[in-house]
Amino acid sequence: ISVFLCLVLQSAEPVRVLVTGAAGQIAYSLLFGIAKGDVFGKDQPITLILLDITPMLPVLDGVVMELQDCALPLLREVIPTDKEEVAFKDLDAAILVGSMPRREGMERKDLLKANVAIFKSQGAALEKYAKKTVKVLVVGNPANTNCLIAAKSAPSIPKENFSCLTRLDHNRARSQVAMRCGVPATQVKNVIIWGNHSSTQYPDVHHCKVNMAGSDLACFAAVKDDDWLKGAFISTVQQRGAAVIAARKLSSAMSAAKAICDHMRDIWSGTPEGEFVSMGVYSSSNSYGVAEDLIYSFPVHIKDKQWKIVDGLAINDFSRGKMDATAAELVEERDTAVTFLSA
């Protein structure tokens, strides 16, 4: 009986979840999903820690009020703060949404320099205050390189605990195929996003399956339009973020929040047998010839909160060229960012 009671008490322990940039528009769409149980489980209590810069604290107070007013049964506590020592303490999960956005006239190296400072500091705070088992998802762009900097700044936390968000691109690719085939997105599985969360990313459907009339078809057989799959489909996914900004005058928020929930839920609960998802993860020891020491988006499957790159997928010359191009961009980004890291 005492063991049973211990298990009950243990299961009732809230998970401590940090969201940075918590007064921003992505967080506004994200926090409700986390707090109501869409990510960590329908019976898992949550403590939400919300970090933002000092000038945003009044806005953050309004967000806290709204979360309180939702009267959510799983939400045990909400802690708004502008202090890293408060935000990063004893974390189970960290969702790093906040970053320096690219401003008009800003060169890419200036953007990288500003973000290196942010993610070096947050990595150091993870190292100092968070649990060593913390799962860290970097969303703020340039997400892959920001994730690498955070991981390098937290040397005692396993590199496998860090990932960056390419699930939004994955979901976009899946949806484009589904619309083309006239099926729900749930009927499309195993699309892959290779590489950087940028316009060089490679949405790959050579291993994708589409369920039509109860049968799994190869994507190329289901779509029956190779030119579209090798042309407009790829560019649509690559440029989707820019298209949303052009239409909305704001960057993707609702779809980004949904992708964050998908990503973290899969880390916590695992991926279905025979299916894989796209995540930016450490490139070390991959079988695809991608350079070491990058955060690069691969197909992964997840079990017991551990991801594993899906090995052995056939890569044709078309795919190889695109995978190499996005890797080259990441190498350049990394090499520039590392010079700022030691500054």
Side-chain angles (χ1 to χ4, degrees):
I1 292 171
S2 61
V3 172
F4 174 75
L5 283 172
C6 284
L7 287 171
V8 169
L9 288 169
Q10 194 175 20
S11 68
E13 190 71 24
V15 294
R16 291 178 63 85
V17 182
L18 167 67
V19 176
T20 72
Q25 59 157 352
I26 291 176
Y28 194 74
S29 291
L30 171 65
L31 293 170
F32 179 69
I34 294 173
K36 78 181 179 73
D38 288 354
V39 180
F40 299 99
K42 297 296 183 187
D43 56 358
Q44 175 58 62
I46 302 279
T47 294
L48 269 178
I49 303 101
L50 310 182
L51 177 68
D52 216 313
I53 57 175
T54 307
M56 297 304 291
L57 287 180
V59 178
L60 206 50
D61 286 340
V63 174
V64 172
M65 286 185 235
E66 286 213 69
L67 283 165
Q68 292 167 341
D69 294 349
C70 288
L72 294 162
L74 294 175
L75 188 58
R76 293 289 187 267
E77 189 178 6
V78 186
I79 303 168
T81 185
D82 59 352
K83 295 178 175 59
E84 287 183 341
E85 63 271 23
V86 175
F88 287 86
K89 187 168 176 53
D90 296 334
L91 291 180
D92 297 292
I95 303 171
L96 308 184
V97 179
S99 66
M100 169 71 79
R102 192 167 186 167
R103 301 213 168 95
E104 199 172 343
M106 184 183 275
E107 291 197 21
R108 190 165 183 81
K109 71 174 190 308
D110 297 325
L111 180 69
L112 277 169
K113 186 175 184 179
N115 279 295
V116 165
I118 293 168
F119 286 88
K120 179 181 179 181
S121 177
Q122 293 188 351
L126 285 163
E127 173 77 8
K128 188 171 182 181
Y129 302 112
K131 294 177 183 176
K132 300 309 176 190
T133 53
V134 65
K135 300 296 185 183
V136 183
L137 169 58
V138 176
V139 178
N141 287 318
N144 298 59
T145 301
N146 287 344
C147 183
L148 185 70
I149 295 301
K152 284 180 178 294
S153 303
S156 71
I157 297 173
K159 297 288 183 279
E160 294 76 23
N161 288 20
F162 288 82
S163 57
C164 84
L165 189 75
T166 56
R167 185 59 169 267
L168 177 52
D169 310 300
H170 180 100
N171 288 350
R172 286 165 171 166
R174 198 176 176 191
S175 176
Q176 288 296 315
V177 170
M179 289 189 292
R180 194 77 174 190
C181 294
V183 299
T186 49
Q187 304 297 93
V188 179
K189 66 182 182 183
N190 295 353
V191 301
I192 301 168
I193 303 297
W194 298 101
N196 200 0
H197 175 61
S198 76
S199 59
T200 69
Q201 66 177 253
Y202 170 42
D204 179 7
V205 291
H206 286 90
H207 306 281
C208 168
K209 302 287 186 189
V210 183
N211 191 285
M212 299 183 75
S215 298
D216 275 349
L217 298 179
C219 184
F220 278 82
V223 172
K224 297 178 182 156
D225 189 340
D226 290 15
D227 288 345
W228 181 76
L229 285 171
K230 290 184 171 183
F233 161 74
I234 292 173
S235 58
T236 296
V237 176
Q238 288 174 332
Q239 302 293 337
R240 189 68 162 186
V244 169
I245 291 171
R248 248 190 112 224
K249 314 306 177 205
L250 291 166
S251 59
S252 305
M254 178 173 33
S255 55
K258 163 65 165 54
I260 293 165
C261 288
D262 290 346
H263 180 117
M264 290 303 286
R265 185 189 62 246
D266 283 348
I267 288 178
W268 240 251
S269 303
T271 48
E273 195 66 36
E275 291 190 32
F276 43 80
V277 294
S278 304
M279 285 169 52
V281 298
Y282 247 90
S283 60
S284 303
S285 306
N286 72 87
S287 64
Y288 295 106
V290 176
E292 299 278 304
D293 199 34
L294 297 174
I295 297 287
Y296 186 99
S297 183
F298 291 95
V300 302
H301 53 74
I302 306 167
K303 188 176 180 182
D304 300 327
K305 296 185 184 174
Q306 301 296 320
W307 55 263
K308 189 173 186 305
I309 295 171
V310 177
D311 282 328
L313 298 175
I315 304 297
N316 61 23
D317 290 344
F318 178 84
S319 294
R320 172 53 60 195
K322 294 192 174 299
M323 289 166 65
D324 289 349
T326 191
E329 181 182 58
L330 280 170
V331 168
E332 186 183 350
E333 270 189 23
R334 177 199 65 197
D335 292 350
T336 304
V338 167
T339 62
F340 298 132
L341 189 59
S342 56

